[in-house]
Amino acid sequence: MKIDEILKKKRTLSFEVFPPKKGSLGIEKIFKTIDELKALNPDYISVTYGAGGSNRNSNVEIASYIKNQAKIEALAHLTGGPSSYSDIDEIVKKLHSEGIENILALRGDKPIDFNDDYCKTFKHATDLMEYLKDEDFTLAGACYPEGHNECESLYEDLAHMKEKEQAGAKFFVTQVFYDNEYYYRLVSEARKAGIKSPIIPGIMPLVSHKSIPSIKNMCGASIPLDFRNMLEVYKDDPELLEEFGINYAVYQIEDLIAKGAPGIHLYIMNRASIAKKIYERLENVFSKLF
């Protein structure tokens, strides 16, 4: 089923996984993770892959497992940046053959070691969406509560977000954020700009102190001072730090749901155990409101 049709009927709960760097053992581990996530009744699971597209074939294999073995809708990430027309045609053919109906269309982050030729064919996510518009997929787009790091302002980024909707995006999934006010501002300003599609907040539980620099480098997400102080106090106690991180994610989710978010997308870093702990704390909420 196409995810935009699900969103017309209900709030969605979803998770994101990513392929292993290499090896069949890693794939089997991801399959086990997906089987564990199935018990949490997600509406869909998205599957990403690394910058540069090095493991995108695994992406198709994992999306197929989600759809055809686990019987959950799959949202396959597809990056235009490193791809040629023939690359995209090949992936699209594989996705069709596996019955995948949903694509998150991205330009993709530019790897540090790539030069200006990284985006030869698809310079923007909208170029990829335009190329896919005659294919039978529901397209999703990415958006950024604090603005994309290559944009001078949120409003420049909102203009690109509107272009994505005009190019075919039926819903959006946000980048990670830790201050819900950024999400509410994004939704408010997007509606003022005429963007009508659902905007699903993306939450990544911060359960490791060493993740803080990578979070900032990856997406520029700011971490509220009170939360950052808690992480600092308990940085040498992994169990307590994980507990605080999970509780903070639960707080974010409760607040987002109470204020009308159309769904929750959890970036779980392939750790089903984290998803389970969050689900257990919110099981009554999910069962009644999703």
Side-chain angles (χ1 to χ4, degrees):
M1 187 175 183
K2 294 185 175 181
I3 294 169
D4 61 323
E5 294 299 322
I6 300 174
L7 282 163
K8 291 175 183 177
K9 301 175 181 178
K10 65 187 293 291
R11 280 179 163 132
T12 57
L13 173 63
S14 54
F15 305 111
E16 180 167 299
V17 298
F18 56 86
K21 290 183 178 179
K22 59 183 178 179
S24 59
L25 291 178
I27 286 285
E28 292 302 321
K29 187 174 180 180
I30 295 299
F31 291 166
K32 182 180 178 182
T33 296
I34 292 165
D35 291 340
E36 292 177 31
L37 294 175
K38 181 177 180 178
L40 308 183
N41 302 310
D43 293 286
Y44 63 92
I45 296 176
S46 73
V47 53
T48 185
Y49 55 89
S54 59
N55 50 1
R56 64 185 172 198
N57 288 328
S58 296
N59 171 281
V60 176
E61 184 179 358
I62 294 167
S64 176
Y65 187 89
I66 293 167
K67 172 78 174 184
N68 299 306
Q69 303 300 319
K71 305 300 182 184
I72 303 166
E73 288 306 323
L75 176 62
H77 290 213
L78 186 59
T79 56
S83 305
S84 65
Y85 291 123
S86 60
D87 291 333
I88 296 298
D89 291 344
E90 180 183 355
I91 296 293
V92 163
K93 184 178 179 180
K94 290 178 180 178
L95 291 172
H96 276 312
S97 70
E98 299 297 337
I100 308 302
E101 300 180 88
N102 306 283
I103 287 177
L104 179 59
L106 307 158
R107 183 202 67 185
D109 295 330
K110 292 182 179 180
I112 295 174
D113 57 345
F114 274 68
N115 58 31
D116 292 338
D117 289 335
Y118 176 72
C119 301
K120 272 189 174 180
T121 306
F122 302 100
K123 294 185 180 299
H124 307 286
T126 49
D127 298 322
L128 179 58
M129 290 176 178
E130 290 287 351
Y131 188 69
L132 296 172
K133 67 182 180 181
D134 293 329
E135 301 287 346
D136 188 21
F137 293 111
T138 282
L139 300 179
C143 59
Y144 306 85
E146 298 181 55
H148 194 282
N149 58 14
E150 294 179 20
C151 292
E152 293 186 1
S153 70
L154 174 67
Y155 299 97
E156 180 186 343
D157 196 26
L158 283 166
H160 296 316
M161 188 175 172
K162 188 168 184 178
E163 290 170 357
K164 292 177 184 179
E165 185 177 65
Q166 292 169 339
K170 299 297 184 183
F171 66 98
F172 291 90
V173 181
T174 78
Q175 180 58 277
V176 175
F177 60 91
Y178 293 96
D179 183 340
N180 286 3
E181 292 304 317
Y182 285 115
Y183 171 79
Y184 301 134
R185 181 187 65 168
L186 172 69
V187 173
S188 175
E189 296 303 314
R191 299 305 178 226
K192 291 177 185 177
I195 298 165
K196 298 179 180 179
S197 301
I199 300 171
I200 300 173
I203 301 297
M204 179 185 286
L206 216 172
V207 295
S208 169
H209 188 269
K210 66 181 180 181
S211 298
I212 294 175
S214 60
I215 290 291
K216 290 183 175 180
N217 293 334
M218 178 179 69
C219 59
S222 56
I223 301 172
L225 180 60
D226 287 349
F227 183 37
R228 196 163 69 246
N229 285 343
M230 282 190 282
L231 296 174
E232 185 67 28
V233 168
Y234 296 106
K235 66 180 181 181
D236 296 323
D237 190 327
E239 289 185 6
L240 271 180
L241 192 145
E242 180 177 296
E243 186 74 12
F244 274 97
I246 288 171
N247 287 341
Y248 189 82
V250 168
Y251 155 73
Q252 280 191 276
I253 293 167
E254 287 175 329
D255 183 64
L256 289 162
I257 292 170
K259 294 178 181 174
I264 297 294
H265 187 69
L266 280 171
Y267 299 98
I268 60 165
M269 303 304 290
N270 288 0
R271 293 181 63 184
S273 61
I274 298 296
K276 288 179 182 178
K277 290 176 181 178
I278 291 173
Y279 188 89
E280 286 168 359
R281 288 163 169 79
L282 291 167
E283 186 170 5
N284 195 38
V285 172
F286 289 138
S287 64
K288 289 186 175 182
L289 299 179
F290 279 62

